[in-house]
Amino acid sequence: DGGITQSPKYLFRKEGQNVTLSCEQNLNHDAMYWYRQDPGQGLRLIYYSQIVNDFQKGDIAEGYSVSREKKESFPLTVTSAQKNPTAFYLCASSGKATSGRAGEQYFGPGTRLTVT
Amino acid sequence: AQSVAQPEDQVNVAEGNPLTVKCTYSVSGNPYLFWYVQYPNRGLQFLLKYITGDNLVKGSYGFEAEFNKSQTSFHLKKPSALVSDSALYFCAVRDRGSYQKVTFGTGTKLQVIP
């Protein structure tokens, strides 16, 4: 799982509560990503950030928010507006697009969120 | 828009036999193509990628993949499967024009039978 940490590994919340998932990397990567993984649906992009203080919506951003105040950190908040928040959440990072490793993403171990 | 298709939800192969996991893609320009592997309750690990050059790409753990531009395919292969290869495999594509955004397939579960 490289130099990316996600915490906690398992998270349980009551419906209606916001929850923040942590993602930290020590790879000095510019780009960071959040994906949601559901059985049979692969990975779906929630948000991504190419540089500090900048981020873009992915394919399923509704009900989620992010911040990128530091290069190393890209926390994801799952808000009460997200209709089906129970899922496995994966954070990833990648180096410069012009580098030889362009496009290669390094993933954290994931956080499994259960909302009841 | 870019997309990836992995037509098989699951592939079963006997240990020692060759394996193939299929992937086709669609992009507007020339693609960057990737294969990742995921073990249960873990993040994804990079296996190999095609950027340019030789159509046969070699990667980690004895895996290789063949880029076929005319068929827009990037199938993952291994000459002799191991039980430890059993995992979920994802194909991914990135258009060279889309800055860092990668699209993943839905994944194929590989089961290697002892």
Side-chain angles (χ1 to χ4, degrees):
Chain A
D1 298 323
I4 299 183
T5 57
Q6 291 185 244
S7 60
K9 190 171 178 65
Y10 298 96
L11 191 54
F12 298 88
R13 279 294 182 271
K14 295 289 188 183
E15 192 174 326
Q17 293 179 335
N18 291 355
V19 60
T20 297
L21 281 60
S22 168
C23 177
E24 304 277 333
Q25 55 102 354
N26 62 3
L27 301 168
N28 199 33
H29 283 167
D30 290 321
M32 296 187 74
Y33 311 79
W34 274 106
Y35 294 93
R36 171 182 171 136
Q37 185 176 17
D38 297 282
Q41 296 196 49
L43 273 66
R44 292 184 289 169
L45 182 64
I46 304 173
Y47 269 97
Y48 64 104
S49 168
Q50 297 170 4
I51 56 173
V52 174
N53 292 323
D54 184 60
F55 48 83
Q56 289 80 40
K57 293 181 179 180
D59 301 318
I60 56 165
E62 185 176 350
Y64 299 97
S65 66
V66 294
S67 63
R68 186 87 187 275
E69 297 176 1
K70 298 188 298 182
K71 188 174 186 177
E72 302 79 18
S73 179
F74 191 42
L76 173 74
T77 296
V78 184
T79 74
S80 56
Q82 167 51 230
K83 293 186 173 63
N84 295 298
T86 294
F88 189 51
Y89 290 88
L90 287 162
C91 179
S93 69
S94 63
K96 290 189 184 299
T98 53
S99 75
R101 293 189 176 276
E104 291 178 33
Q105 296 190 4
Y106 294 77
F107 284 80
T111 293
R112 189 168 296 280
L113 173 65
T114 302
V115 177
T116 57
Chain B
Q2 56 196 37
S3 65
V4 176
Q6 293 182 243
E8 302 153 317
D9 291 336
Q10 182 160 335
V11 169
N12 297 321
V13 63
E15 187 177 23
N17 282 4
L19 70 87
T20 299
V21 182
K22 296 179 180 177
C23 171
T24 58
Y25 67 90
S26 174
V27 294
S28 57
N30 292 318
Y32 290 160
L33 293 158
F34 308 87
W35 276 101
Y36 289 82
V37 60
Q38 184 182 34
Y39 297 98
N41 295 311
R42 301 288 299 276
L44 278 67
Q45 297 175 30
F46 171 78
L47 272 181
L48 52 80
K49 70 180 179 184
Y50 171 82
I51 300 294
T52 188
D54 195 347
N55 289 344
L56 185 64
V57 178
K58 294 188 183 297
S60 307
Y61 312 120
F63 283 93
E64 58 190 28
E66 186 167 12
F67 171 64
N68 187 316
K69 187 173 183 178
S70 63
Q71 296 184 5
T72 60
S73 67
F74 190 56
H75 301 331
L76 181 69
K77 301 181 180 185
K78 188 174 182 181
S80 178
L82 301 172
V83 173
S84 57
D85 292 331
S86 299
L88 189 58
Y89 290 82
F90 289 95
C91 183
V93 65
R94 178 197 147 197
D95 188 319
R96 289 169 194 251
S98 66
Y99 181 63
Q100 297 282 40
K101 183 179 176 184
V102 176
T103 299
F104 287 82
T106 53
T108 297
K109 183 178 180 181
L110 174 66
Q111 191 74 38
V112 181
I113 302 161

